[in-house]
Amino acid sequence: METDHRWLVVEDGFAPARANMYETIFTTGNGYLGTRGALAEGHAGALPGTFLRGVFDHHDSAVTELVKAPDWLALAVVVDGTRLNVTSASVVQHRRILDMRDGSLFRETVFEDSDGRRTRIETVHFASGADEHLCCLRARITPENHTASMTVHSGIDGTHYNLDRRPVYATPPPDDPQMKWHKWARSKHLDEVARVEIAGGVYLETRTIDSGITIGYAARTTVSPPVSPTVEQRHRLVEQVFHTQVPPGDTLTVDKLVTIYTSRDVAAASVRQACLDDLHRHTEAGFPACRERNREAWREKWADSDVTVEGDADIVRAARFNIYHLLIAANASDPRVNIGANSLTGERYRGHAFWDTEVFMLPFYIYTQPATARALLLYRHHTLDGARRNARDGGFRGARYAWESADTGVETTPQWTVDGAHRIWMGEEEIHVTSAVAYGLIAYVAATGDEAFMTDYGAEILFETSRFWVDRLEAMPDGRYALSRVVGPDEFHEHVDNSAYTNYLVRWHLRQAAHVYAGLAVTHPPELAGLSERIGLRPDEVEAWLTIADRIRLPAGNDDGVIEQFDGYFGLENLPVTVDDNDMPQYPAGYHHYNLAGSTLLKQADVVMLTYVLPDEFPDPVKLANYNFYEPLTLHKSSLSPAIHSIMGIEVGDPSRAVQYLRRAAFVDLLDNQGNTEEGIHIASAGGTWQILVAGFGGFRVRNGRMTFKPWLPPDWNAIAFRLKWHGNTLSVRVRHTSATFLLSGPTTAHEEIVVNDEPITMPVDKEVVIDLAKTGS
Ligand code: IFM
């Protein structure tokens, strides 16, 4: 195992109160699946879960949700009649280590039963980074002071339901049966299809109830010294059971290989065979070879993705933790899926994708894993028909992307909070997500030069969504166009008119669409003609986009350049804000998420966010004025908020809180500073953390088609280093206080022009360029 602590996340000792949080943090995965780091033997209060990308179902849940798939980790050890777990035996020693370098989770626990028998269990498991259908576990079980009559159960457990356990809220929700709490909370999605013994192993097949997705798991467990297993089974559970005697100090080694396929991968009738074929292949190779292949795959991922900071080891570890979670959240192999707001690590937000993907996470993938970025954007094309339906359902033309998007792209935002107490309006009103999709695809094409993506997919998205905007905009008597009844990024304020964020983005969106149309007319006339014919798009419609864009009503700025967040915002009540020990703002006494609409307080970055996503629309003094005005009013009740404030603080020349905001974002889950990590990783904050490092401290932006840098380092850091993919090449960047070093590496030989502190620099391929930052006016 890795020994450098900057690659490790460690849990020392078992604390029931933190068990669910660690399950989330210790999720292992590979983009195809995510498996929470629950203790394999289970315990009261545990929330295990494996989630398979794209496996959604509705059935008796409030809305379509990501299904809790069968648990492949399940492994129980019975010693002299006691099934060892944290409640049946005392825990003498417990330590778990997530090795982020190769995505594996180590565990070492010593149990002592009521007769003083001590048994040590050590495990390592991972979801293979080399083969997305493979999961591996090795356990070493050692009776330390006794001869163990030992039974090991190893199998596939499909008995779990979504939200088996109530989520923990600060104030427990009322148990009013009218609220159908139990129905809302605990949902069944799987029917059993088959459970069988296979050669040397077991196989479980289930099917989702509404969506009809077949899910197959094949598992083979072997033990050493060898023992022949029996097979035990009951509804939705099948396991191999090994009975043996183990002398004191001897170790029983258990290897478990599991293969997983669904009918999303192969035809339903072939799922079982696909599992068995893979299992056979991996069994031939054996656990050590599977592990080595996994390590090799992770070496490649990190070579492109790592960010290091010299001078702050804690930040390096936290940065890697966030990048690790981004790396297990998605991969390039499925263009029909996106990343849920809690990735594949938990049930919060039901696996639904938000604007989080394009605005917070996509930059990481664009610049480090562009094939994955492409797959994520292809999902938006795959769900374009769903977006068309959303527009149609609202009475509009074109396509409107869902605020919460699952498998089809049809709006899946629940209309009520889970306790039934509050109406959720985001599905109807948080329409800025549609421009986030445009934002993501424009950035992707600019960075990769993937014009085929634009002609084959991106243009259709841009054109259909522009149609939605012009229909959704309302013509006013003065000839301007307004957008009423929306929610901007700040979700404390619903039903607002002319949200600055939304309206600026819509204007930008329409102009981009028209620009792309004009560009394709020159570079790809046949493709444009084909697309126009297919969607019935006329040139005069495109001209209208530009005319309307020019007339969109943009909220006025005050004398200092502060942009009013929406119509009437400046007239709202100012409430005092207090901060906690960590200097983070608190709700004023008596206030909470649902009663702050009459105040100027913000849930999260809104106008400041606008100045970040559209950097060229606002001069520096306007950015500064808005940062100074809105930052003290922002409560950061969304984990998406701190990252943007860190970046914009640096950009406007007030980096005093940049490191604090970085820590808030980077440690949101490691320290559970939003209090809900047990329900899943804040994956948008993970993307935001990467952006702080690269766009904040590294000062990276794309401007006029070029990579530009305006770095700034905190005094106690020595350097920051990262890599960016650009048009197929890689730019390695290392920034120090006084200098910055750039190296552009192939495969292409084309030089690039980059801009550092406003100075253009020509970068040859494979030749390091060192810039004296003092001379560039930094
Ligand atoms: O998309 C976010 C939103 O901005 C704030 N509430 C949570 C959502 C999912 O992360």
Side-chain angles (χ1 to χ4, degrees):
M1 192 186 41
E2 179 61 49
T3 52
D4 178 346
H5 73 280
R6 293 171 309 171
W7 285 103
L8 307 176
V9 180
V10 179
E11 174 196 38
D12 246 323
F14 179 80
R18 294 174 79 75
N20 296 146
M21 176 198 120
Y22 274 112
E23 289 166 356
T24 297
I25 284 177
F26 286 160
T27 297
T28 47
N30 55 17
Y32 178 82
L33 62 86
T35 297
R36 287 169 63 79
L39 298 177
E41 68 276 12
H43 59 90
L47 258 183
T50 285
F51 303 95
L52 308 177
R53 70 169 177 222
V55 176
F56 284 94
D57 189 58
H58 196 312
H59 190 232
D60 62 354
S61 137
V63 288
T64 294
E65 65 183 2
L66 192 64
V67 170
K68 185 177 279 188
D71 179 14
W72 66 270
L73 265 186
L75 184 94
V77 179
V78 182
V79 169
D80 295 290
T82 302
R83 199 175 174 107
L84 297 177
N85 64 42
V86 296
T87 36
S88 67
S90 42
V91 176
V92 176
Q93 189 186 323
H94 176 77
R95 190 171 152 88
R96 288 195 295 171
I97 302 174
L98 175 67
D99 183 347
M100 298 182 284
R101 202 195 269 274
D102 69 1
S104 53
L105 181 61
F106 290 82
R107 178 252 179 113
E108 186 179 14
T109 306
V110 178
F111 290 108
E112 185 175 281
D113 68 16
S114 50
D115 293 323
R117 284 181 287 246
R118 287 191 172 197
T119 307
R120 176 180 297 272
I121 299 182
E122 296 154 289
T123 63
V124 58
H125 75 255
F126 57 90
S128 174
D131 184 333
E132 62 180 22
H133 299 281
L134 173 66
C135 297
C136 306
L137 176 142
R138 170 169 279 186
R140 289 164 42 83
I141 309 163
T142 311
E144 293 198 324
N145 59 356
H146 60 107
T147 298
S149 168
M150 191 183 289
T151 305
V152 175
H153 297 252
S154 171
I156 306 161
D157 181 356
T159 61
H160 297 287
Y161 290 76
N162 275 58
L163 273 180
D164 275 338
R165 192 180 63 93
R166 287 179 177 203
V168 178
Y169 293 102
T171 313
D175 237 341
D176 181 351
Q178 288 301 319
M179 292 190 176
K180 298 186 180 163
W181 170 261
H182 294 282
K183 178 169 161 51
W184 283 71
R186 191 172 190 266
S187 313
K188 181 183 178 197
H189 292 297
L190 295 178
D191 276 339
E192 181 183 283
V193 178
R195 78 188 112 92
V196 286
E197 184 171 355
I198 55 170
V202 290
Y203 176 76
L204 180 72
E205 191 167 297
T206 54
R207 188 182 301 126
T208 56
I209 294 171
D210 273 352
S211 52
I213 300 171
T214 300
I215 303 170
Y217 282 47
R220 178 174 291 153
T221 302
T222 51
V223 302
S224 171
V227 180
S228 296
T230 56
V231 169
E232 290 183 7
Q233 43 183 302
R234 61 185 166 88
H235 188 59
R236 295 203 286 164
L237 183 143
V238 57
E239 56 189 18
Q240 290 172 283
V241 181
F242 301 83
H243 299 284
T244 187
Q245 291 276 119
V246 186
D250 277 14
T251 295
L252 184 76
T253 301
V254 180
D255 283 353
K256 179 177 188 179
L257 301 183
V258 182
T259 54
I260 303 175
Y261 276 87
T262 77
S263 54
R264 297 184 70 261
D265 310 313
V266 294
S270 309
V271 164
R272 183 190 297 199
Q273 200 53 48
C275 290
L276 299 188
D277 289 349
D278 270 21
L279 188 62
H280 179 71
R281 188 160 53 87
H282 296 305
T283 310
E284 296 272 287
F287 182 92
C290 292
R291 193 166 179 190
E292 191 41 49
R293 274 170 43 77
N294 173 58
R295 286 190 171 138
E296 184 52 38
W298 273 93
R299 268 192 282 275
E300 282 175 27
K301 291 180 207 285
W302 280 113
D304 293 327
S305 315
D306 198 12
V307 178
T308 53
V309 170
E310 280 174 36
D312 196 332
D314 251 14
I315 286 294
V316 175
R317 190 173 64 92
R320 285 180 174 152
F321 175 74
N322 286 285
I323 294 169
Y324 163 78
H325 272 283
L326 290 162
L327 289 172
I328 65 168
N331 70 30
S333 67
D334 191 341
R336 298 160 300 159
V337 292
N338 208 273
I339 304 174
N342 295 89
S343 63
L344 296 168
T345 67
E347 294 176 60
R348 192 155 183 262
Y349 292 118
R350 302 167 187 267
H352 298 171
F354 294 67
W355 70 315
D356 305 27
T357 300
E358 280 79 8
V359 180
F360 288 83
M361 296 174 249
L362 198 69
F364 165 79
Y365 297 108
I366 289 176
Y367 298 109
T368 71
Q369 318 281 323
T372 301
R374 190 176 208 271
L376 291 168
L377 289 167
L378 284 174
Y379 163 86
R380 295 300 191 179
H381 190 264
H382 173 70
T383 54
L384 185 54
D385 276 343
R388 287 184 174 112
R389 184 175 140 188
N390 297 333
R392 215 170 39 244
D393 287 352
F396 301 107
R397 296 180 69 216
R400 172 181 78 74
Y401 280 97
W403 175 243
E404 296 194 25
S405 189
D407 46 356
T408 63
V410 170
E411 185 61 71
T412 44
T413 307
Q415 292 201 331
W416 295 92
T417 51
V418 78
D419 56 4
H422 299 281
R423 177 73 160 84
I424 300 172
W425 290 101
M426 285 56 180
E428 286 98 325
E429 298 188 1
E430 206 156 349
I431 53 178
H432 63 82
V433 57
T434 291
S435 285
V437 174
Y439 174 79
L441 72 88
I442 295 282
Y444 167 78
V445 174
T448 58
D450 184 356
E451 285 181 17
F453 177 86
M454 188 57 94
T455 51
D456 297 349
Y457 309 104
E460 186 176 0
I461 292 174
L462 286 173
F463 300 163
E464 288 288 47
T465 47
S466 294
R467 281 178 154 164
F468 165 71
W469 284 130
V470 296
D471 217 18
R472 175 65 171 79
L473 285 157
E474 301 127 55
M476 304 193 328
D478 65 357
R480 310 274 286 278
Y481 286 83
L483 273 180
S484 58
R485 259 189 102 82
V486 304
V487 181
D490 159 31
E491 295 172 334
F492 287 165
H493 298 95
E494 297 163 337
H495 327 305
V496 305
D497 296 340
N498 296 310
S499 134
Y501 180 90
T502 310
N503 287 17
Y504 268 101
L505 262 290
V506 172
R507 184 175 77 163
W508 171 87
H509 186 148
L510 291 173
R511 288 176 175 169
Q512 289 295 322
H515 180 71
V516 166
Y517 183 93
L520 293 183
V522 176
T523 59
H524 296 82
E527 287 85 351
L528 180 63
L531 172 59
S532 300
E533 190 181 331
R534 190 153 49 81
I535 63 173
L537 182 67
R538 298 180 322 271
D540 59 321
E541 220 181 317
V542 180
E543 279 162 30
W545 297 345
L546 285 174
T547 321
I548 291 171
D550 288 345
R551 295 191 190 153
I552 289 179
R553 190 188 137 88
L554 299 175
N558 69 12
D559 291 347
D560 301 325
V562 178
I563 299 164
E564 188 170 33
Q565 189 177 297
F566 51 81
D567 289 354
Y569 171 86
F570 284 152
L572 298 178
E573 185 186 1
N574 289 314
L575 292 173
V577 178
T578 53
V579 294
D580 66 9
D581 297 346
N582 191 20
D583 206 18
M584 292 308 283
Q586 299 296 293
Y587 284 116
Y591 286 92
H592 53 77
H593 183 117
Y594 293 100
N595 65 2
L596 278 165
S599 84
T600 54
L601 296 182
L602 278 62
K603 179 180 177 191
Q604 64 198 91
D606 190 300
V607 174
V608 171
M609 181 90 220
L610 168 65
T611 62
Y612 174 55
V613 296
L614 298 182
D616 299 324
E617 304 262 346
F618 308 98
D620 290 346
V622 170
K623 289 179 185 166
L624 175 62
N626 282 280
Y627 181 84
N628 285 342
F629 180 85
Y630 285 108
E631 193 259 357
L633 298 172
T634 307
L635 300 191
H636 308 293
K637 294 302 173 189
S638 161
S639 66
L640 279 59
S641 191
I644 304 307
H645 284 84
S646 180
I647 297 168
M648 287 311 294
I650 295 169
E651 174 158 350
V652 301
D654 176 10
S656 55
R657 303 190 72 188
V659 172
Q660 186 194 4
Y661 280 128
L662 165 65
R663 298 188 72 82
R664 186 83 190 178
F667 288 92
V668 63
D669 291 310
L670 285 169
L671 298 179
D672 193 13
N673 67 26
Q674 294 273 347
N676 54 13
T677 291
E678 62 174 32
E679 295 179 70
I681 283 287
H682 296 84
I683 195 69
S685 173
T689 299
W690 183 87
Q691 292 193 58
I692 299 174
L693 296 165
V694 171
F697 298 104
F700 169 62
R701 299 280 189 289
V702 176
R703 289 217 155 103
N704 301 320
R706 290 182 303 183
M707 306 176 92
T708 72
F709 299 87
K710 269 199 182 163
W712 178 84
L713 292 192
D716 50 349
W717 291 10
N718 299 323
I720 184 167
F722 51 86
R723 288 178 171 185
L724 301 170
K725 299 260 188 211
W726 184 257
H727 291 239
N729 285 346
T730 302
L731 185 72
S732 304
V733 182
R734 185 157 188 270
V735 175
R736 301 173 143 276
H737 287 281
T738 53
S739 66
T741 308
F742 298 90
L743 174 66
L744 184 68
S745 3
T748 78
T749 52
H751 66 262
E752 283 291 344
E753 190 161 278
I754 65 169
V755 178
V756 182
N757 288 338
D758 298 323
E759 302 240 342
I761 291 162
T762 301
M763 287 295 309
V765 175
D766 290 335
K767 189 164 181 303
E768 201 167 84
V769 174
V770 183
I771 310 288
D772 181 343
L773 293 176
K775 290 197 179 141
T776 61
S778 172

